[in-house]
Every structure is written in C-alpha cells, then in structure tokens.
Amino acid sequence: MTENNAYEVVVVGGGAAGLSAALVLGRSRRRTLVVDAGEPRNAPSAHMQGYLSRDGMSPAEFLAVGREEIARYGVELVRDRVVDVTREGDFAAVLAGGRTVRARHLVIATGLTDELPPVPGLAERFGRDVVHCPYCHGWEVRDLPTGVLATSPLSVHQALMVTQWSKDVRLFLHEVDEAELTDQDLRRLATAGVTVVPGEVAEVVVTGDRLTGVRLVDGTVHDREVLYAAPRAVPHNDLLIRLGAELRETPFGSYPVIDERGLTTVPGLWAAGNASGFAEQVINAASRGYRAGAAINGELLTAGLDAAA
C-alpha cells in the first residue's frame, strides 16, 4: 500500500488501547496510522495507578512516552478527529481536517466520556478530591473522611468498597430513595460502619482549593475531604454504529459485541479499551489494544498468503 492515504490499519484513538495496538502493529512492520483527537478519559487526573512499572505516572507523561515508542517503528500519528467512516472493500475514514484515509482494518479505541451528576462544584474537583474509582484513587485518599454520592442502588456497592480505604464513610442518598435499599443493603452498610444520609445534595463545599464538605438542600453541611461520585458513561460508539456493528446494552451504556480478540460483528472492524467496555482501566485497555494488534497482524498475514496462493 504505497499511496499516502492508504494504510493496512487505521487506529482511531490515541489512548492506552490505541497506542498499544499501534505499537504491536508497528513492530509487525504494518503500515499504521493513529488518529488522535487528544481527549483522553483520564485527563483530569494528576496520576494513574495500578499499572505495573508505571504506577503514579501522570496520564500525560504516559501518553507522551507511548507516542515516542510507536514513532520508533514508523507508525504515523495525526492530531485530528474521524468524522465519518464508510466501507466499500477497504474502510474509508474522513478526518475533520479534510483528509480521507483508507485501511484494510480499522481499530476503534475512542473511549468514553464521564458525565458527572449536575451537582455544583463536582466537575471542578473531578480527578482531585472528587473521584470515582477506589482502585484508581483509594490509596491516595486513604483514611480521610469520605463521602459517596448515590445516584443509583449500585452506589451501595461503591460505598461498601470504599470502606477498604477509609473507616469514616457516609453514603449520601441524593437521587436514591431510602426505600430502594434492601434489607441486605442496610445490614451490610451497618456492618461496614457506613453512615446513610438521606436527602439531596445541593453542592460540594470547597475551601482554599480543597474539598471540605458536602451541603444538603436543607442547609446541613457534612465535613468530608473526599467524595466518590459515579459518572454516567457515554461511550463514543458513533463510528461503530455507522459501520453496522452489533451493540449490547449494559447498565453503563451500549458497547460493541466483540470476540476475545476485540473483533466486532463487522469483518475487519475492531474495538479496544473503553470503546469496548466501561470497566477497562489503563492497564486493561493497553492489554486489549495489544491483543487486537496481534490478531490483526495474523489476519493480514493469512489474507496475504491466501491472495498470493
């Protein structure tokens, strides 16, 4: 494939999943392009955790190192956005900048957006002292007075999990009626020492650039230094839908049906990272990208041999 806009693989999304897929493909000597809009999900966080050998690294540094690594193997990266995609034999991806690129295989690693509950002050603190994942942030905020903002009955599970990192936990029911809690929920919360606080949250209280409390609509203020809030996941699945990939509905949004390698129901169309599921942490996303990249190389190899034969 010698044309400037023709590639064996185009990867849409330059996060952990996309860069990992590109790294494998570059090392496999495949002509590969990464199209990155530059909007990683974990951008609000100052650090990422749980990635062996990279624990505590900033997301920005992690991506910078990844870009340097794929460049060593001739992988191209452009800062742009794919606005349309079609398939007639090869895939044709139209970029916002006006360029159209073609590829035999297309990897969708566009991730998702975290949509926070509309509580004043919440978004400004997200990734700092308003967090959503104890595995990502629990150690850093351990033993602090902690709150959990309930937006669904699933928030009970989150509050129970948080007690592994703090013994001073309050569950603010906010959008959950106390009657929705089961007897088992209440027993577990009581056993774990979680205080259940009825009432809607009006705002988070910030003093001197740090969270100091949670204010209810009745004016009551509860002193807290950390607040867990579960965002609504909005997967970036537009390109998958346009290409006719089958989706599956989950409590956390619509995600493509994929096999163990990441192949969707459309031949040559792959999904990795948070484009394939809600719970892909950075290390899981990188693993998904690696697996997809290796599988694509195998597909291209056998297709080439069959065509030659």
Side-chain angles (χ1 to χ4, degrees):
M1 304 186 74
T2 56
E3 298 177 28
N4 287 338
N5 291 319
Y7 297 86
E8 291 179 285
V9 186
V10 167
V11 179
V12 187
L19 291 176
S20 184
L23 180 63
V24 174
L25 290 162
R27 286 177 53 82
S28 301
R29 310 181 76 176
R30 297 297 181 184
R31 181 166 162 77
T32 304
L33 172 71
V34 176
V35 182
D36 182 24
E39 299 172 351
R41 179 188 182 189
N42 60 357
S45 297
H47 49 79
M48 62 181 206
Q49 313 297 153
Y51 197 126
L52 190 63
S53 81
R54 296 295 180 267
D55 187 64
M57 177 182 277
S58 77
E61 183 184 358
F62 176 80
L63 294 179
V65 171
R67 295 183 193 114
E68 291 176 2
E69 289 179 349
I70 66 171
R72 296 176 199 162
Y73 301 102
V75 175
E76 296 178 50
L77 184 146
V78 295
R79 182 59 59 86
D80 210 328
R81 185 187 305 276
V82 175
V83 295
D84 194 15
V85 63
T86 58
R87 188 181 188 189
E88 294 181 7
D90 289 344
F91 294 96
V94 181
L95 309 190
R99 182 182 176 194
T100 297
V101 295
R102 297 188 297 111
R104 296 177 188 173
H105 288 259
L106 190 67
V107 180
I108 304 299
T110 46
L112 58 81
T113 296
D114 290 310
E115 193 174 88
L116 290 165
V119 174
L122 208 63
E124 292 80 2
R125 308 303 303 178
F126 190 55
R128 302 166 69 186
D129 34 31
V130 171
V131 296
H132 75 289
C133 170
Y135 291 107
C136 303
H137 303 279
W139 176 265
E140 284 66 39
V141 297
R142 65 193 183 279
D143 299 327
L144 295 177
T146 300
V148 176
L149 184 69
T151 52
S152 80
L154 291 174
S155 299
V156 170
H157 174 72
Q158 186 178 35
L160 294 173
M161 289 290 295
V162 167
T163 62
Q164 185 68 24
W165 288 270
S166 174
K167 297 307 178 186
D168 182 2
V169 178
R170 296 181 190 178
L171 175 61
F172 297 96
L173 293 185
H174 189 51
E175 296 179 358
V176 176
D177 192 303
E178 195 167 6
E180 295 181 58
L181 304 184
T182 66
D183 290 341
Q184 185 181 64
D185 289 336
L186 294 171
R187 281 196 304 271
R188 286 176 172 172
L189 289 167
T191 302
V194 177
T195 301
V196 177
V197 182
E200 184 180 351
V201 172
E203 64 176 350
V204 295
V205 180
V206 178
T207 306
D209 195 31
R210 66 184 183 91
L211 189 147
T212 57
V214 174
R215 189 190 310 276
L216 304 185
V217 292
D218 65 5
T220 306
V221 176
H222 293 257
D223 293 339
R224 300 287 92 182
E225 296 182 36
V226 181
L227 182 65
Y228 283 84
R232 185 175 77 89
V234 182
H236 300 161
N237 54 21
D238 292 356
L239 300 179
L240 294 162
I241 292 172
R242 293 186 191 200
L243 291 168
E246 182 182 347
L247 301 182
R248 55 187 172 86
E249 295 299 326
T250 78
F252 308 103
S254 301
Y255 298 91
V257 174
I258 57 174
D259 67 12
E260 67 278 1
R261 305 169 302 163
L263 180 64
T264 71
T265 53
V266 176
L269 179 64
W270 306 73
N274 284 132
S276 65
F278 168 76
E280 302 297 330
Q281 308 287 12
V282 179
I283 193 167
N284 303 123
S287 174
R288 285 280 193 180
Y290 188 105
R291 185 176 299 183
I296 291 168
N297 180 58
E299 294 269 340
L300 287 167
L301 176 65
T302 54
L305 292 173
D306 291 345

